[in-house]
């Protein structure tokens, strides 16, 4: 049968039968793929430990009628082991994996930007370069931007009037001026708006300097913006440790 290779991040695994698993990956060239890994739940399996969530792997597949099959796996970066030692990083990373799967709705639709964003975000998380919630919120904002839902934190999201503005509305797409402000808009602090803009732009010097109160306020706005655009919340997001 035809075979192909690709590298990807393991997003999720599901039990299949007594010894197999269905592996969901976000790959560089083929987008999201679901494939069967046979025998990986047996203690004798040589590839089972490599096909765990968070791991960055190089995989060979052969094409099946309904699902492809995994035939060979090489580890590029076993990030799962490093994230498992820290609850805050593990839960934040899990929310990133779920987001990546939700924003890759169509199987086999290449999305190199989402793939690269996920790889770089997980590497930063595994290396402990910044606080886990900052990395998560930055990833969520950037992944939404790549999907076509980039929030506006400077000019008005409706009329493009230069800011700063005082109101935030998820339906409108970000900060809005007083003339465009819909009922029910939030009024975030200037520090939270500055942090949101820094997370979207990758300004880590500004993001790292934010205090806990500002980070929590910004995280609430990110969660609301994400839920509005993906139409339902992430199951993993309430479990993220923000203490």
């Amino acid at each position: 049968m035809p075979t192909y290779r690709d590298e990807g991040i393991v997003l999720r695994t599901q039990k299949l039968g007594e010894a197999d698993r269905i592996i969901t990956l976000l790959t560089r060239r083929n987008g999201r793929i679901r494939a069967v890994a046979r025998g990986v739940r047996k203690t004798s399996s040589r590839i089972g430990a490599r096909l765990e969530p968070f791991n960055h792997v190089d995989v060979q597949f052969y094409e099946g009628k309904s699902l492809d099959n995994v035939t060979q796996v090489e580890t590029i970066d076993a990030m799962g082991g490093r994230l498992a030692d820290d609850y805050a990083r593990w839960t934040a990373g899990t929310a990133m994996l779920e987001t990546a799967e939700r924003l890759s709705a169509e199987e086999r639709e290449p999305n190199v930007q989402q793939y690269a964003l996920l790889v770089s975000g997980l590497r930063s998380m595994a290396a402990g370069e910044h606080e886990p919630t900052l990395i998560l919120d930055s990833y969520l904002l950037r992944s939404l931007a790549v999907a076509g839902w980039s929030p506006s934190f400077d000019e008005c999201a409706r009329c493009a009037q230069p800011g700063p503005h005082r109101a935030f509305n998820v339906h409108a797409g970000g900060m809005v001026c007083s003339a465009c402000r819909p009922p029910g808009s939030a009024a975030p602090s200037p520090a939270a708006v500055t942090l949101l803009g820094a997370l979207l732009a990758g300004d880590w010097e500004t993001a790292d300097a934010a205090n806990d109160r500002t980070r929590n306020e910004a995280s609430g706005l990110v969660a609301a913006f994400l839920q509005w655009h993906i139409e339902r919340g992430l199951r993993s997001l309430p479990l993220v440790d923000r203490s």
Side-chain angles (χ1 to χ4, degrees):
M1 294 184 179
T3 63
Y4 63 98
R5 296 191 73 94
D6 206 344
E7 65 176 64
I9 296 288
V10 179
L11 302 179
R12 183 162 55 97
T13 66
Q14 299 167 265
K15 293 180 180 179
L16 179 66
E18 296 183 356
D20 307 336
R21 280 198 178 107
I22 297 175
I23 312 296
T24 303
L25 306 99
L26 182 61
T27 66
R28 178 187 293 274
R29 291 182 293 275
N30 292 278
R32 183 167 61 87
I33 291 176
R34 295 172 69 244
V36 177
R38 302 197 180 279
V40 294
R41 290 165 57 199
K42 296 180 179 179
T43 56
S44 59
S45 172
R46 294 182 295 176
I47 66 172
R50 302 172 190 174
L51 292 172
E52 291 294 331
F54 300 109
N55 285 348
H56 188 196
V57 290
D58 182 278
V59 187
Q60 179 172 290
F61 306 88
Y62 74 79
E63 297 179 8
K65 292 182 179 179
S66 56
L67 292 174
D68 294 348
N69 287 261
V70 174
T71 60
Q72 184 179 353
V73 183
E74 299 294 336
T75 301
I76 298 174
D77 191 353
M79 292 183 281
R82 301 200 300 279
L83 293 174
D85 294 334
D86 188 292
Y87 179 78
R89 290 194 289 170
W90 176 268
T91 54
T94 299
M96 293 169 65
L97 296 185
E98 187 179 354
T99 301
E101 184 171 3
R102 294 280 290 277
L103 292 179
S104 306
E106 298 295 329
E107 290 191 23
R108 295 189 173 280
E109 183 175 315
N111 196 330
V112 177
Q113 286 182 295
Q114 288 286 6
Y115 169 79
L117 190 63
L118 180 62
V119 172
S120 62
L122 290 177
R123 283 177 177 169
S124 180
M125 188 80 74
E129 295 177 357
H130 308 283
E131 285 296 315
T133 54
L134 289 178
I135 296 173
L136 170 61
D137 288 338
S138 178
Y139 169 78
L140 295 177
L141 289 172
R142 292 183 181 190
S143 61
L144 286 168
V146 168
W149 300 310
S150 181
S152 175
F153 298 123
D154 183 15
E155 62 183 24
C156 176
R158 285 191 165 177
C159 70
Q161 179 181 336
H165 302 296
R166 294 304 307 273
F168 179 88
N169 189 278
V170 294
H171 307 173
M175 302 303 295
V176 288
C177 66
S178 57
C180 296
R181 176 178 180 167
S185 297
S189 66
V193 177
T194 298
L195 175 56
L196 289 167
L199 292 173
L200 180 60
D203 178 2
W204 288 107
E205 182 177 356
T206 298
D208 289 335
N211 60 37
D212 290 342
R213 181 176 179 178
T214 300
R215 294 179 184 184
N216 289 334
E217 183 181 3
S219 292
L221 296 175
V222 172
F225 194 78
L226 174 72
Q227 182 171 345
W228 169 258
H229 285 291
I230 65 174
E231 298 181 352
R232 54 191 173 95
L234 299 179
R235 291 174 299 175
S236 54
L237 199 57
L239 302 178
V240 173
D241 183 359
R242 298 188 182 277
S243 59

